[in-house]
Amino acid sequence: GPSILQVMWEAYDLGNEDFLWTGIPFLGGIGGYQNAPCGVVSASAVCLGLRHRCPLNDKVQAKQARHAVRTFSAKIVAEFNQNFGDITCQGLIGMDFSKPGVYQKFLESGIWKDKCEKYVEFMIAKLYELEEDRGLFVQA
């Protein structure tokens, strides 16, 4: 979760480090509660919200931005689910962190390297695709 925010924080040149802290709760679902979406999925939605933010007092632009965020969030979540067969941490990892010692076993096993890193890479690619499709992203 947090690593995808780091990448997009840099890509979007957000500057404010407060944004990076928004991803911390998304480790292991939400705070280790795995019936929640995978942290990468949640963090990607946060990235889209940050990417399309605008002054709320500009009613027309804000309405368009909210529509874009909902539309793009739905698209990348559906593509993630189609690709990996689930969006929940529990369903993707197949380990129950609520049981004693399981999270430590997960960390030591390297499953996060085999699975979680693929989820991050997939979603970063999807966020970049959205940028390219809309002609928004200009790499420095």
Side-chain angles (χ1 to χ4, degrees), residues 31-126:
Y33 182 77
Q34 293 177 280
N35 289 332
C38 164
V40 172
V41 174
S42 299
S44 297
V46 170
C47 287
L48 287 169
L50 292 172
R51 182 66 179 114
H52 295 279
R53 74 194 187 287
C54 67
L56 290 172
N57 60 4
D58 183 338
K59 301 285 187 219
V60 173
Q61 189 183 2
K63 184 177 181 182
Q64 290 171 339
R66 282 193 300 272
H67 176 73
V69 171
R70 283 195 311 273
T71 301
F72 296 146
S73 295
K75 178 178 167 45
I76 64 173
V77 171
E79 290 175 0
F80 185 96
N81 188 56
Q82 190 175 1
N83 203 70
F84 298 111
D86 207 326
I87 68 162
T88 67
C89 178
Q90 177 89 54
L92 292 163
I93 300 300
M95 297 175 86
D96 185 354
F97 294 168
S98 69
K99 293 181 179 160
V102 172
Y103 187 69
Q104 190 59 39
K105 185 178 167 193
F106 165 75
L107 292 176
E108 292 166 1
S109 70
I111 289 172
W112 57 272
K113 204 158 187 53
D114 296 334
K115 292 189 173 193
C116 303
E117 286 188 3
K118 284 188 181 72
Y119 307 147
V120 171
E121 288 166 12
F122 179 87
M123 280 307 223
I124 287 171
K126 290 294 161 193

